Amino acid sequence: MSNLVPLFVILPLATAFLIPIFGRFIEGFQKSLLSLVLLFLTILAIHFIVAGIGQPIAYQVGGWSPENGIPIAIYLVLDGLSVLLLLIISLIGFLSTFYSISYIRKFTSQNNFFALLSLMIAGMNGVVLTGDMFNMYVFLEIAVIASYALVAFGIERTELEASFKYQVLGGVASLLILFAIGLLYWKTQTLNMADIANVLKSGNNGLFLVFTQVLLIAGFGLKAAMIPFHAWLPDAHSSAPSPISAMLSGVLIKAVGIYAILRLFFNMFAISYEISMVITVIGTLSMVVGVFLAIGQWDLKRLLAYHSISQMGYVIIGVGMGMLILAEGGDRSIASLAIAGGLFHLVNHAVFKGLLFLNSGAIEYVTGTRNLKMMGGLFKSLPVTSTTALGASLSISGIPPFNGFFSKLVIIVAAIQGEFYLLAVLAIVVSIVTLASFMKFQRYAFFNKSKFTRKIKEVPFPMCFSMVVLVILCLGLSLLIFPGIRDIILTPAVDVLMETTNYSSAIIGM
């Protein structure tokens, strides 16, 4: 099975190479090829999940075997956590690509659009799979450089300005991460994450380790747009084409930000109380500040962008509570519940926020505006868009029986059991404010008196298809609350984070 692992990187990279060549001569080549590749990768990720992954599956690039227990090859490592992220990336990527078949007609340079999208997906898959720090940085840069270009794809003033801001802050983040990688290499003489973990275990690294961890939190926090590192996100997500906004919010900030933090601070560094507290505080600030910044927005995509910050705060506090409990040697079952809630919400957020950005794209596609004050009366004209937007709004607001309710419930229950009472109260308050924000969206977009004099009709089939699949998932993912289904999809990822030393021992022991 290990020979299938590189396909997650090879196929999108090959697609990005082939599209500019053959897309010029074969009509629809770029749309068809990328859609088929991502559909195949989605099925492959589902196969790995259903088959089950016990110990991490490692692919040694170039076939170099460990020498004296030291891993000298470049490793691609698949485990319960990485395969969950690969499934999210491939699925949201496939639906965004299929949606783009109709949406992208209003743009020129379709070859460039699909090639850049394919490159971004290849970079994210590489970040999720790589087993060493330098290649994590390389794949991260592949993903974000492609995303810089995609944010500016409309080449209007606002898009170019948003992309420039994104590039500047992204460059600062990359510099911090590269500096931290250099320090780790200087200290440990290795770049393999499992080997770094092994070396750090045996030494007294004190202040050096804290400084390096702070650099990585700042760097990946910028990539994930956590408060106070969020300045680039509202402009970038609102200026990008809507399928790209769905990718940026649904998967990019998770793959190059949240996932990297989880992997490094659970499986490479020993969990410490101080760093766990910093991560939890950042998550709490993101959850609270993000929602209050969102509620005053009238630009639909900016409203959704600020909610991305807030909802990812839920993920961080879930994981942060688990880290705090583990650091203090507390009840591991409560830590496991908190981490499960965070990962559950990470999956849910990819689905409902991806859907909301596709909804906003559909509305803008037919009305030409993102301003909620200029909308109204779209419920009858856009039945598919309005119905799916309602489902996504209920999901993000935590209304049962949608998936967002259950992941928030798990996080709140874990907070109460772990005696994080303030976090439980804040999570409930933020959910209520989120509901108020999306009631505003529903009222002004779909139920007020129409502001349009011309006839509005529903968007084309590819756009409707992607939205319908995602709203079905908003309901279907609620089934993860049941142990039998959760044990197949979510529990292996939780186990990777709970059993913090298994990752390094599996690689070193190969």
Side-chain angles (χ1 to χ4, degrees):
M1 289 177 72
S2 64
N3 290 332
L4 297 174
V5 173
L7 294 179
F8 286 101
V9 177
I10 292 170
L11 290 180
L13 280 177
T15 302
F17 175 75
L18 293 173
I19 283 173
I21 299 172
F22 294 102
R24 297 184 180 189
F25 311 110
I26 304 171
E27 182 69 26
F29 174 83
Q30 64 282 86
K31 306 169 188 176
S32 304
L33 180 62
L34 185 54
S35 295
L36 290 172
V37 165
L38 292 174
L39 179 60
F40 170 75
L41 293 181
T42 302
I43 294 168
L44 184 58
I46 292 171
H47 164 72
F48 277 115
I49 287 174
V50 173
I53 299 173
Q55 289 291 92
I57 299 171
Y59 179 85
Q60 300 169 20
V61 179
W64 293 90
S65 300
E67 291 289 336
N68 299 321
I70 299 173
I72 59 174
I74 295 171
Y75 281 82
L76 298 178
V77 183
L78 189 74
D79 59 16
L81 178 62
S82 55
V83 77
L84 184 65
L85 267 292
L86 289 173
L87 177 59
I88 295 170
I89 294 167
S90 301
L91 178 62
I92 303 300
F94 165 68
L95 294 173
S96 297
T97 301
F98 197 76
Y99 179 97
S100 300
I101 290 173
S102 297
Y103 181 89
I104 202 63
R105 288 173 187 161
K106 65 180 183 178
F107 292 92
T108 57
S109 302
Q110 293 187 27
N111 278 346
N112 294 342
F113 176 87
F114 286 102
L116 287 167
L117 177 55
S118 186
L119 205 57
M120 183 170 75
I121 290 167
M124 288 189 287
N125 286 350
V127 169
V128 168
L129 284 172
T130 188
D132 71 278
M133 292 296 293
F134 185 74
N135 280 288
M136 176 179 277
Y137 175 79
V138 170
F139 283 122
L140 182 149
E141 288 301 293
I142 291 172
V144 297
I145 289 172
S147 69
Y148 299 154
L150 287 166
V151 167
F153 200 76
I155 64 168
E156 298 292 336
R157 183 174 175 236
T158 52
E159 284 96 335
L160 295 172
E161 181 182 339
S163 180
F164 178 73
K165 183 187 293 186
Y166 183 17
Q167 288 178 59
V168 170
L169 292 175
V172 171
S174 297
L175 186 63
L176 292 172
I177 294 166
L178 189 60
F179 185 36
I181 292 170
L183 288 174
L184 284 170
Y185 183 65
W186 169 72
K187 186 72 174 178
T188 64
Q189 284 80 55
T190 182
L191 290 168
N192 184 282
M193 287 188 278
D195 203 21
I196 291 173
N198 211 32
V199 172
L200 292 178
K201 261 193 313 189
S202 58
N204 180 22
N205 301 295
L207 191 60
F208 163 80
L209 209 54
V210 172
F211 180 63
T212 306
Q213 289 175 323
V214 168
L215 286 176
L216 290 170
I217 289 173
F220 287 114
L222 260 165
K223 297 294 185 184
M226 295 287 95
I227 299 286
F229 312 111
H230 68 288
W232 63 269
L233 183 139
D235 288 341
H237 286 210
S238 59
S239 298
S242 288
I244 301 306
S245 299
M247 290 296 294
L248 292 175
S249 182
V251 291
L252 185 74
I253 59 175
K254 297 175 179 63
V256 305
I258 305 299
Y259 168 83
I261 290 172
L262 295 181
R263 178 63 78 191
L264 299 182
F265 286 89
F266 277 90
N267 296 136
M268 193 173 82
F269 298 117
I271 296 175
S272 69
Y273 179 83
E274 294 77 16
I275 292 297
S276 303
M277 181 60 74
V278 169
I279 290 173
T280 307
V281 169
I282 288 173
T284 306
L285 287 173
S286 300
M287 181 178 70
V288 176
V289 176
V291 78
F292 283 105
L293 288 172
I295 198 166
Q297 299 296 320
W298 291 99
D299 182 312
L300 176 55
K301 289 181 75 174
R302 287 183 72 85
L303 181 148
L304 297 177
Y306 279 115
H307 276 295
S308 291
I309 298 171
S310 178
Q311 294 302 309
M312 292 314 294
Y314 277 98
V315 176
I316 294 295
I317 67 163
V319 172
M321 288 188 297
M323 291 180 72
L324 286 169
I325 294 167
L326 291 174
E328 292 188 306
D331 191 328
R332 288 179 64 85
S333 64
I334 299 174
S336 178
L337 184 67
I339 293 168
L343 293 180
F344 190 5
H345 200 70
L346 182 144
V347 174
N348 289 341
H349 178 264
V351 173
F352 60 61
K353 184 51 66 65
L355 174 54
L356 283 164
F357 271 113
L358 297 188
N359 292 144
S360 70
I363 293 169
E364 187 181 8
Y365 185 85
V366 297
T367 65
T369 183
R370 302 196 310 249
N371 191 333
L372 289 170
K373 292 180 179 178
M374 297 177 65
M375 299 178 193
L378 294 174
F379 187 81
K380 292 182 179 178
S381 305
L382 304 175
V384 175
T385 302
S386 59
T387 304
T388 55
L390 178 61
S393 298
L394 293 173
S395 183
I396 194 174
S397 302
I399 305 299
F402 290 91
N403 56 349
F405 167 77
F406 294 102
S407 53
K408 289 182 180 181
L409 179 65
V410 173
I411 292 169
I412 292 166
V413 168
I416 294 170
Q417 290 185 356
E419 299 182 358
F420 300 98
Y421 299 117
L422 178 60
L423 291 183
V425 171
L426 288 175
I428 294 168
V429 170
V430 168
S431 197
I432 293 169
V433 179
T434 302
L435 177 61
S437 183
F438 281 91
M439 286 175 67
K440 181 179 85 170
F441 164 45
Q442 289 293 316
R443 176 189 169 189
Y444 280 89
F446 300 113
F447 295 106
N448 269 2
K449 186 178 178 182
S450 176
K451 305 283 197 309
F452 305 104
T453 54
R454 58 190 175 84
K455 185 178 180 181
I456 303 292
K457 63 178 183 178
E458 188 57 89
V459 294
F461 169 76
M463 299 170 73
C464 288
F465 173 83
S466 294
M467 292 188 289
V468 169
V469 170
L470 286 171
V471 81
I472 291 171
L473 287 172
C474 283
L475 280 168
L477 285 173
S478 299
L479 297 174
L480 285 176
I481 200 68
F482 295 108
I485 299 173
R486 183 174 69 244
D487 290 345
I488 296 172
I489 300 173
L490 213 54
T491 301
V494 176
D495 290 343
V496 168
L497 300 182
M498 287 295 296
E499 305 300 328
T500 55
T501 59
N502 277 5
Y503 177 87
S504 58
S505 59
I507 303 302
I508 299 295
M510 288 186 65

